[in-house]
Short mmCIF file of all heavy atoms in Angstrom, two decimals:
data_model
loop_
_atom_site.label_atom_id
_atom_site.label_comp_id
_atom_site.label_asym_id
_atom_site.label_seq_id
_atom_site.Cartn_x
_atom_site.Cartn_y
_atom_site.Cartn_z
N ASP A 1 0.84 -1.21 -0.06
CA ASP A 1 -0.03 0.01 0.02
C ASP A 1 0.90 1.18 0.06
O ASP A 1 0.51 2.18 -0.65
CB ASP A 1 -0.91 0.00 1.20
CG ASP A 1 -2.08 -1.04 0.98
OD1 ASP A 1 -2.35 -1.41 0.04
OD2 ASP A 1 -2.65 -1.33 2.19
N ALA A 2 2.01 1.26 0.78
CA ALA A 2 2.82 2.39 0.86
C ALA A 2 3.40 2.71 -0.60
O ALA A 2 3.54 3.94 -0.93
CB ALA A 2 3.96 2.08 1.82
N LYS A 3 3.79 1.68 -1.18
CA LYS A 3 4.49 1.89 -2.57
C LYS A 3 3.35 2.45 -3.62
O LYS A 3 3.65 3.42 -4.35
CB LYS A 3 4.92 0.61 -3.15
CG LYS A 3 6.22 0.09 -2.42
CD LYS A 3 6.60 -1.22 -2.97
CE LYS A 3 7.78 -1.77 -2.30
NZ LYS A 3 8.19 -3.24 -2.74
N LYS A 4 2.19 2.07 -3.45
CA LYS A 4 0.99 2.60 -4.30
C LYS A 4 0.83 4.06 -3.87
O LYS A 4 0.77 4.83 -4.95
CB LYS A 4 -0.24 1.75 -4.20
CG LYS A 4 -0.24 0.38 -4.76
CD LYS A 4 -1.66 -0.27 -4.49
CE LYS A 4 -1.67 -1.67 -5.26
NZ LYS A 4 -2.89 -2.28 -4.98
N LEU A 5 0.68 4.29 -2.67
CA LEU A 5 0.66 5.75 -2.35
C LEU A 5 1.73 6.64 -2.68
O LEU A 5 1.42 7.72 -3.29
CB LEU A 5 0.44 5.87 -0.78
CG LEU A 5 -0.98 5.25 -0.18
CD1 LEU A 5 -0.78 5.02 1.30
CD2 LEU A 5 -1.96 6.11 -0.50
N GLU A 6 2.87 6.09 -2.52
CA GLU A 6 4.00 6.89 -3.01
C GLU A 6 4.04 7.22 -4.41
O GLU A 6 4.35 8.29 -5.00
CB GLU A 6 5.38 6.28 -2.61
CG GLU A 6 6.62 6.94 -2.99
CD GLU A 6 7.84 6.19 -2.68
OE1 GLU A 6 7.71 5.02 -2.00
OE2 GLU A 6 9.03 6.66 -3.04
N LYS A 7 3.64 6.15 -5.30
CA LYS A 7 3.73 6.22 -6.75
C LYS A 7 2.53 7.23 -7.15
O LYS A 7 2.78 7.87 -8.19
CB LYS A 7 3.35 4.82 -7.35
CG LYS A 7 3.53 4.93 -8.91
CD LYS A 7 3.34 3.49 -9.35
CE LYS A 7 3.58 3.39 -10.89
NZ LYS A 7 3.42 2.01 -11.40
N SER A 8 1.46 7.31 -6.43
CA SER A 8 0.39 8.18 -6.79
C SER A 8 0.54 9.66 -6.18
O SER A 8 -0.34 10.41 -6.48
CB SER A 8 -0.97 7.65 -6.39
OG SER A 8 -0.98 7.45 -4.93
N GLY A 9 1.68 9.83 -5.48
CA GLY A 9 1.87 11.07 -5.12
C GLY A 9 1.41 11.45 -3.62
O GLY A 9 1.49 12.55 -3.14
N HIS A 10 0.91 10.49 -3.08
CA HIS A 10 0.28 10.78 -1.73
C HIS A 10 1.51 10.33 -0.60
O HIS A 10 1.43 9.38 -0.05
CB HIS A 10 -1.02 9.78 -1.37
CG HIS A 10 -2.15 10.13 -2.31
ND1 HIS A 10 -2.24 9.56 -3.46
CD2 HIS A 10 -3.21 10.85 -1.97
CE1 HIS A 10 -3.37 10.06 -4.02
NE2 HIS A 10 -3.87 10.76 -3.12
N LEU A 11 2.38 11.31 -0.56
CA LEU A 11 3.63 11.01 0.13
C LEU A 11 3.41 11.04 1.59
O LEU A 11 4.05 10.20 2.29
CB LEU A 11 4.57 12.17 -0.26
CG LEU A 11 5.07 12.21 -1.73
CD1 LEU A 11 5.96 13.51 -1.96
CD2 LEU A 11 5.71 10.91 -2.23
N VAL A 12 2.58 11.83 2.11
CA VAL A 12 2.38 11.85 3.69
C VAL A 12 1.91 10.45 4.11
O VAL A 12 2.34 9.93 5.10
CB VAL A 12 1.50 13.11 4.16
CG1 VAL A 12 1.24 12.93 5.61
CG2 VAL A 12 2.14 14.40 3.77
N GLU A 13 0.81 10.09 3.45
CA GLU A 13 0.20 8.80 3.61
C GLU A 13 1.14 7.64 3.55
O GLU A 13 1.16 6.65 4.31
CB GLU A 13 -1.10 8.55 2.90
CG GLU A 13 -2.22 9.56 3.22
CD GLU A 13 -2.02 10.79 2.49
OE1 GLU A 13 -0.93 11.11 1.78
OE2 GLU A 13 -2.90 11.76 2.55
N ALA A 14 1.97 7.72 2.40
CA ALA A 14 2.95 6.74 2.16
C ALA A 14 3.97 6.67 3.33
O ALA A 14 4.34 5.52 3.73
CB ALA A 14 3.61 7.00 0.84
N ARG A 15 4.37 7.75 3.86
CA ARG A 15 5.28 7.75 4.87
C ARG A 15 4.81 7.07 6.04
O ARG A 15 5.50 6.29 6.84
CB ARG A 15 5.85 9.16 5.22
CG ARG A 15 7.02 9.20 6.09
CD ARG A 15 7.44 10.64 6.47
NE ARG A 15 8.72 10.59 7.09
CZ ARG A 15 9.02 10.20 8.34
NH1 ARG A 15 8.09 9.77 9.10
NH2 ARG A 15 10.20 10.16 8.82
N LYS A 16 3.49 7.41 6.37
CA LYS A 16 3.00 6.87 7.62
C LYS A 16 2.89 5.24 7.55
O LYS A 16 3.10 4.50 8.53
CB LYS A 16 1.50 7.48 7.81
CG LYS A 16 1.51 8.77 8.21
CD LYS A 16 0.19 9.38 8.37
CE LYS A 16 0.06 10.84 8.76
NZ LYS A 16 -1.24 11.44 8.93
N ASP A 17 2.53 4.86 6.31
CA ASP A 17 2.55 3.28 6.09
C ASP A 17 3.98 2.79 6.21
O ASP A 17 4.10 1.72 6.80
CB ASP A 17 1.95 3.05 4.75
CG ASP A 17 0.55 2.95 4.68
OD1 ASP A 17 -0.19 3.19 5.78
OD2 ASP A 17 -0.11 2.64 3.81
N TYR A 18 4.96 3.27 5.73
CA TYR A 18 6.33 2.90 5.83
C TYR A 18 6.68 2.78 7.36
O TYR A 18 7.35 1.80 7.85
CB TYR A 18 7.39 3.65 5.12
CG TYR A 18 7.40 3.45 3.52
CD1 TYR A 18 7.21 4.60 2.68
CD2 TYR A 18 7.53 2.18 3.02
CE1 TYR A 18 7.21 4.36 1.28
CE2 TYR A 18 7.58 2.00 1.66
CZ TYR A 18 7.40 3.06 0.70
OH TYR A 18 7.32 2.78 -0.53
N VAL A 19 6.30 3.80 8.00
CA VAL A 19 6.72 3.96 9.45
C VAL A 19 6.05 2.78 10.22
O VAL A 19 6.51 2.11 11.14
CB VAL A 19 6.34 5.35 10.09
CG1 VAL A 19 6.58 5.34 11.63
CG2 VAL A 19 7.27 6.41 9.44
N GLN A 20 4.71 2.63 9.93
CA GLN A 20 3.98 1.66 10.56
C GLN A 20 4.58 0.22 10.30
O GLN A 20 4.56 -0.63 11.25
CB GLN A 20 2.52 1.61 10.04
CG GLN A 20 1.60 0.50 10.67
CD GLN A 20 0.18 0.43 10.11
OE1 GLN A 20 -0.18 1.24 9.09
NE2 GLN A 20 -0.71 -0.48 10.60
N SER A 21 4.89 -0.07 9.06
CA SER A 21 5.54 -1.30 8.69
C SER A 21 6.88 -1.50 9.44
O SER A 21 7.08 -2.62 10.01
CB SER A 21 5.86 -1.30 7.21
OG SER A 21 6.77 -2.38 6.86
N GLN A 22 7.62 -0.54 9.63
CA GLN A 22 8.89 -0.45 10.37
C GLN A 22 8.64 -0.74 11.89
O GLN A 22 9.51 -1.51 12.42
CB GLN A 22 9.63 0.79 10.18
CG GLN A 22 11.20 0.72 10.41
CD GLN A 22 11.99 -0.17 9.43
OE1 GLN A 22 11.48 -1.09 8.77
NE2 GLN A 22 13.20 0.24 9.23
N ALA A 23 7.53 -0.26 12.32
CA ALA A 23 7.18 -0.48 13.70
C ALA A 23 6.99 -1.90 13.90
O ALA A 23 7.22 -2.39 15.03
CB ALA A 23 6.14 0.44 14.12
N LEU A 24 6.27 -2.65 12.95
CA LEU A 24 5.93 -3.90 13.29
C LEU A 24 7.11 -4.87 13.05
O LEU A 24 7.25 -5.91 13.76
CB LEU A 24 4.75 -4.46 12.20
CG LEU A 24 3.39 -3.81 12.36
CD1 LEU A 24 2.43 -4.09 11.27
CD2 LEU A 24 2.83 -4.49 13.61
N PHE A 25 7.82 -4.60 11.88
CA PHE A 25 9.00 -5.50 11.76
C PHE A 25 10.04 -4.69 10.90
O PHE A 25 9.70 -4.23 9.71
CB PHE A 25 8.42 -6.74 10.88
CG PHE A 25 9.68 -7.72 10.76
CD1 PHE A 25 9.82 -8.70 11.80
CD2 PHE A 25 10.31 -7.94 9.60
CE1 PHE A 25 10.82 -9.64 11.66
CE2 PHE A 25 11.33 -8.80 9.43
CZ PHE A 25 11.64 -9.74 10.47
N GLU A 26 11.21 -4.57 11.31
CA GLU A 26 12.10 -3.64 10.53
C GLU A 26 12.58 -4.21 9.35
O GLU A 26 12.99 -5.46 9.41
CB GLU A 26 13.29 -3.40 11.55
CG GLU A 26 12.89 -2.37 12.68
CD GLU A 26 14.10 -1.96 13.55
OE1 GLU A 26 15.17 -2.27 13.05
OE2 GLU A 26 13.91 -1.17 14.44
N THR A 27 12.51 -3.52 8.24
CA THR A 27 13.03 -4.09 6.95
C THR A 27 13.82 -2.94 6.26
O THR A 27 13.45 -1.85 6.56
CB THR A 27 11.93 -4.54 6.06
OG1 THR A 27 11.00 -3.45 5.82
CG2 THR A 27 11.18 -5.59 6.74
N LYS A 28 14.82 -3.28 5.35
CA LYS A 28 15.46 -2.35 4.66
C LYS A 28 14.59 -1.75 3.58
O LYS A 28 14.75 -0.47 3.39
CB LYS A 28 16.59 -3.01 3.79
CG LYS A 28 17.83 -3.41 4.73
CD LYS A 28 18.78 -4.14 3.87
CE LYS A 28 20.09 -4.68 4.80
NZ LYS A 28 21.23 -5.25 4.01
N GLU A 29 13.57 -2.49 3.09
CA GLU A 29 12.71 -1.87 2.17
C GLU A 29 11.78 -0.69 2.91
O GLU A 29 11.68 0.44 2.13
CB GLU A 29 11.68 -2.97 1.82
CG GLU A 29 10.72 -2.59 0.63
CD GLU A 29 9.91 -3.72 0.10
OE1 GLU A 29 9.98 -4.70 0.66
OE2 GLU A 29 9.23 -3.52 -0.90
N ALA A 30 11.47 -0.84 4.01
CA ALA A 30 10.57 0.18 4.78
C ALA A 30 11.61 1.36 5.07
O ALA A 30 11.15 2.52 4.82
CB ALA A 30 9.98 -0.28 6.02
N ALA A 31 12.83 1.02 5.42
CA ALA A 31 13.78 2.09 5.83
C ALA A 31 14.09 2.96 4.63
O ALA A 31 14.23 4.20 4.64
CB ALA A 31 15.00 1.61 6.44
N LYS A 32 14.20 2.15 3.50
CA LYS A 32 14.55 3.05 2.28
C LYS A 32 13.42 3.85 1.77
O LYS A 32 13.57 4.94 1.15
CB LYS A 32 15.05 2.07 1.17
CG LYS A 32 16.48 1.49 1.39
CD LYS A 32 16.88 0.52 0.31
CE LYS A 32 18.30 -0.16 0.52
NZ LYS A 32 18.76 -0.97 -0.52
N GLY A 33 12.15 3.12 2.03
CA GLY A 33 11.01 3.91 1.64
C GLY A 33 10.76 5.26 2.41
O GLY A 33 10.48 6.30 1.82
N ILE A 34 11.07 5.19 3.72
CA ILE A 34 11.02 6.42 4.56
C ILE A 34 12.02 7.38 4.08
O ILE A 34 11.70 8.69 3.89
CB ILE A 34 11.20 6.11 6.03
CG1 ILE A 34 10.16 5.28 6.50
CG2 ILE A 34 11.44 7.39 6.82
CD1 ILE A 34 10.43 4.64 7.87
N GLU A 35 13.28 6.97 3.76
CA GLU A 35 14.37 7.96 3.29
C GLU A 35 13.96 8.46 2.01
O GLU A 35 14.08 9.85 1.76
CB GLU A 35 15.60 7.11 3.13
CG GLU A 35 16.74 8.00 2.74
CD GLU A 35 18.06 7.32 2.70
OE1 GLU A 35 18.12 6.13 3.17
OE2 GLU A 35 19.07 7.75 2.26
N ARG A 36 13.50 7.72 1.06
CA ARG A 36 13.05 8.21 -0.27
C ARG A 36 11.84 9.25 -0.09
O ARG A 36 11.93 10.31 -0.87
CB ARG A 36 12.62 7.06 -1.17
CG ARG A 36 12.37 7.28 -2.53
CD ARG A 36 12.24 5.91 -3.40
NE ARG A 36 11.20 5.17 -2.88
CZ ARG A 36 11.33 4.01 -2.23
NH1 ARG A 36 12.52 3.54 -2.16
NH2 ARG A 36 10.23 3.24 -1.87
N VAL A 37 10.81 8.90 0.65
CA VAL A 37 9.70 9.74 0.75
C VAL A 37 10.10 11.15 1.37
O VAL A 37 9.61 12.23 1.10
CB VAL A 37 8.47 9.10 1.50
CG1 VAL A 37 7.48 10.19 1.79
CG2 VAL A 37 8.02 7.94 0.60
N ASP A 38 10.81 11.06 2.37
CA ASP A 38 11.33 12.21 3.13
C ASP A 38 11.95 13.20 2.08
O ASP A 38 11.84 14.33 2.21
CB ASP A 38 12.35 11.86 4.20
CG ASP A 38 11.61 11.44 5.49
OD1 ASP A 38 10.34 11.52 5.53
OD2 ASP A 38 12.25 10.87 6.39
N SER A 39 13.01 12.61 1.19
CA SER A 39 13.60 13.34 0.23
C SER A 39 12.55 14.02 -0.78
O SER A 39 12.69 15.24 -1.08
CB SER A 39 14.62 12.63 -0.58
OG SER A 39 15.19 13.20 -1.55
N LYS A 40 11.57 13.36 -1.11
CA LYS A 40 10.59 13.89 -2.08
C LYS A 40 9.72 15.04 -1.40
O LYS A 40 9.39 16.10 -2.00
CB LYS A 40 9.66 12.76 -2.48
CG LYS A 40 10.17 11.78 -3.44
CD LYS A 40 9.22 10.71 -3.89
CE LYS A 40 9.88 9.77 -4.85
NZ LYS A 40 8.98 8.71 -5.20
N LEU A 41 9.40 14.88 -0.02
CA LEU A 41 8.60 15.74 0.60
C LEU A 41 9.52 17.16 0.83
O LEU A 41 9.01 18.22 0.69
CB LEU A 41 8.26 15.33 2.09
CG LEU A 41 7.19 14.20 2.06
CD1 LEU A 41 7.16 13.64 3.54
CD2 LEU A 41 5.91 14.92 1.75
N ARG A 42 10.85 16.86 1.04
CA ARG A 42 11.56 18.07 1.09
C ARG A 42 11.70 18.95 -0.11
O ARG A 42 11.66 20.06 -0.03
CB ARG A 42 13.00 17.90 1.69
CG ARG A 42 13.14 17.33 3.18
CD ARG A 42 14.53 17.22 3.64
NE ARG A 42 15.43 16.20 2.92
CZ ARG A 42 15.47 14.95 3.40
NH1 ARG A 42 14.66 14.65 4.45
NH2 ARG A 42 16.17 14.07 2.61
N ASP A 43 11.85 18.16 -1.14
CA ASP A 43 11.87 18.77 -2.52
C ASP A 43 10.58 19.54 -2.78
O ASP A 43 10.69 20.70 -3.43
CB ASP A 43 12.17 17.77 -3.66
CG ASP A 43 13.55 17.10 -3.59
OD1 ASP A 43 14.44 17.86 -3.02
OD2 ASP A 43 13.73 16.04 -4.16
N GLN A 44 9.51 19.02 -2.41
CA GLN A 44 8.20 19.55 -2.74
C GLN A 44 8.06 20.81 -1.79
O GLN A 44 7.60 21.88 -2.37
CB GLN A 44 7.07 18.69 -2.46
CG GLN A 44 5.69 19.23 -2.73
CD GLN A 44 5.52 19.69 -4.13
OE1 GLN A 44 5.86 18.73 -5.17
NE2 GLN A 44 5.13 20.86 -4.48
N VAL A 45 8.46 20.80 -0.55
CA VAL A 45 8.42 21.98 0.16
C VAL A 45 9.38 23.08 -0.30
O VAL A 45 8.98 24.16 -0.17
CB VAL A 45 8.82 21.62 1.66
CG1 VAL A 45 8.89 22.85 2.60
CG2 VAL A 45 7.63 20.72 2.35
N LYS A 46 10.46 22.72 -0.74
CA LYS A 46 11.40 23.72 -1.36
C LYS A 46 10.61 24.48 -2.59
O LYS A 46 10.71 25.61 -2.69
CB LYS A 46 12.67 23.04 -1.75
CG LYS A 46 13.69 22.77 -0.76
CD LYS A 46 14.95 22.02 -1.22
CE LYS A 46 15.88 21.66 -0.32
NZ LYS A 46 17.08 21.08 -0.81
#
């Protein structure tokens, strides 16, 4: 779901899903997802 949200541009919702996933079980995929979305959010705010 997080990947779908990220792809559709719903970055805040995608980040929340990545964080929820990481809280349940830590994975490199979720960690990279958070890092990637954070970068996109910073770019958009700029």
Side-chain angles (χ1 to χ4, degrees):
D1 288 341
K3 290 177 182 177
K4 286 183 179 179
L5 288 167
E6 182 183 355
K7 189 175 182 180
S8 62
H10 295 85
L11 299 178
V12 175
E13 294 83 356
R15 191 186 192 284
K16 288 178 180 178
D17 275 0
Y18 282 127
V19 170
Q20 182 184 0
S21 167
Q22 197 74 328
L24 283 173
F25 190 84
E26 292 187 4
T27 63
K28 290 182 178 179
E29 188 175 3
K32 288 181 178 179
I34 293 171
E35 183 179 351
R36 187 171 59 248
V37 169
D38 281 348
S39 178
K40 291 179 181 179
L41 285 169
R42 288 193 295 270
D43 288 344
Q44 183 59 53
V45 168
K46 284 181 180 180

